[in-house]
Amino acid sequence: MQIIQAYQCFCDETRLRILNLLLEGPLCVCHLTSILGVPQPKVSRHLKALRDGGALETERCYNWTICRLPATPSPLLEANLKCLQDLRAEEPCFKVDLETRKRTVARILRDPCDDLPAQIRSLAKDCC
Amino acid sequence: MQIIQAYQCFCDETRLRILNLLLEGPLCVCHLTSILGVPQPKVSRHLKALRDGGALETERCYNWTICRLPATPSPLLEANLKCLQDLRAEEPCFKVDLETRKRTVARILRDPCDDLPAQIRSLAKDCC
DNA sequence: GTCGAATATTCGCTTGACAGCATATTCGAT
DNA sequence: ATCGAATATGCTGTCAAGCGAATATTCGAC
């Protein structure tokens, strides 16, 4: 059943953390990896699971993969992203990630070259 | 994370089928088992998982265990039960189960003794 | 107390999910 | 062509989930 795959997206802490971060806006894989503080292959695999479950859209841009929530989410996804929003206050780990995200984004905007080559600087602004 | 356990309830076909049936009203374990057509221990185990995830309340009545959706469901549960309702049309297996339920309930009401001893006949009506 | 029915639990097994580590791939820059 | 950075994929081990079969438990009836 297709619906089971969709629910798998919400049955793993890393995936929930990724969704929580993407609720604030798109991020590329390397920034996700850095914010989450977990090995890059792990992030990549969970992203694939999210994509397979219809909870993620990715766009390749040179060597960067931009991750964002689907432009037209399914009703199921939409309902549960809303739940996730409401649960932020209760889950300390979600709040910490959001603060880490804020710091990371600030650093990127201050000194884009540290993180991104010139070609995708504008994209970075789009991201953050 | 507590929330993961809650989502586990929706990540298994048998559990989804049980929730789908209970949306119509309470059922005891033996009727659930009969409607689903799966071994009783399997049903029992999934019921435990649903209970642990906060998606099920059970009430012991003599030797019967009456299963029902929580009287005051969490927002997460409520949202996803609503999704389940909407998905019924798309999942043939859900529709088949509902028809089987209808036939089973009709049989119980016609000849309660076949299924339930006198003491819980009224409860059966409550169930169905 | 003994029996049968309804339900729960234990056991051994198989399968699948996730992890870490190493490696492959893909791109622009030089 | 070669290099480094970003990302994806193989591989292998570990662990939890789920299953079937058998058994334990709990109740009322007799």
Side-chain angles (χ1 to χ4, degrees):
Chain A
M1 292 207 277
Q2 176 68 24
I3 181 181
I4 294 179
Q5 209 174 17
Y7 275 116
Q8 305 273 25
C9 296
F10 299 96
C11 284
D12 178 275
E13 172 164 338
T14 305
R15 293 198 270 252
L16 288 173
R17 290 175 68 196
I18 291 173
L19 292 175
N20 174 53
L21 285 170
L22 293 183
L23 275 170
E24 297 295 299
L27 284 169
C28 69
V29 179
C30 63
H31 294 145
L32 267 176
T33 301
S34 142
I35 295 172
L36 294 171
V38 300
Q40 175 268 321
K42 179 170 168 175
V43 173
S44 182
R45 254 189 283 267
H46 282 299
L47 289 174
K48 175 166 169 43
L50 288 170
R51 219 181 305 120
D52 292 346
L56 182 78
E57 279 170 4
T58 55
E59 177 194 353
R60 189 86 185 202
C61 172
Y62 303 96
N63 250 0
W64 284 259
T65 299
I66 313 295
C67 304
R68 50 170 56 92
L69 299 176
T72 59
S74 70
L76 191 150
L77 177 60
E78 200 162 15
N80 285 292
L81 288 177
K82 197 166 170 318
C83 286
L84 196 55
Q85 284 263 19
D86 297 339
L87 279 172
R88 276 177 169 176
E90 298 171 34
E91 275 297 340
C93 125
F94 289 160
K95 281 194 286 190
V96 170
D97 283 346
L98 289 178
E99 280 158 29
T100 310
R101 194 199 107 103
K102 211 174 268 180
R103 265 180 284 116
T104 299
V105 166
R107 182 167 44 77
I108 294 169
L109 290 178
R110 187 176 347 111
D111 194 358
C113 297
D114 272 15
D115 290 272
L116 305 172
Q119 296 102 321
I120 62 164
R121 260 184 228 179
S122 66
L123 213 152
K125 267 180 194 149
D126 214 48
C127 272
C128 323
Chain B
M1 290 207 279
Q2 177 69 23
I3 182 181
I4 294 178
Q5 207 174 17
Y7 276 116
Q8 304 275 23
C9 296
F10 299 95
C11 283
D12 178 276
E13 172 164 338
T14 304
R15 284 182 252 207
L16 288 173
R17 289 175 68 196
I18 290 173
L19 292 175
N20 173 53
L21 285 170
L22 294 183
L23 275 170
E24 297 295 298
L27 283 170
C28 68
V29 178
C30 63
H31 294 145
L32 267 176
T33 302
S34 142
I35 296 171
L36 294 172
V38 301
Q40 176 268 322
K42 179 169 170 177
V43 173
S44 182
R45 261 190 298 258
H46 284 298
L47 289 175
K48 175 166 170 43
L50 288 170
R51 219 181 305 121
D52 292 346
L56 181 78
E57 279 171 4
T58 55
E59 177 193 352
R60 189 86 184 202
C61 171
Y62 303 95
N63 251 358
W64 282 259
T65 299
I66 313 295
C67 303
R68 49 169 59 90
L69 299 177
T72 59
S74 70
L76 191 152
L77 177 60
E78 199 162 15
N80 285 292
L81 289 177
K82 196 166 172 318
C83 286
L84 197 55
Q85 284 264 20
D86 297 340
L87 279 173
R88 277 178 170 175
E90 297 172 33
E91 274 295 340
C93 127
F94 288 160
K95 280 196 285 191
V96 170
D97 282 345
L98 289 178
E99 280 158 29
T100 310
R101 193 199 107 103
K102 212 174 267 179
R103 266 181 283 115
T104 299
V105 166
R107 183 167 43 78
I108 294 170
L109 289 178
R110 189 177 346 110
D111 193 0
C113 297
D114 272 15
D115 288 273
L116 305 172
Q119 296 101 320
I120 63 163
R121 260 184 228 175
S122 66
L123 213 153
K125 267 181 191 146
D126 214 51
C127 271
C128 326

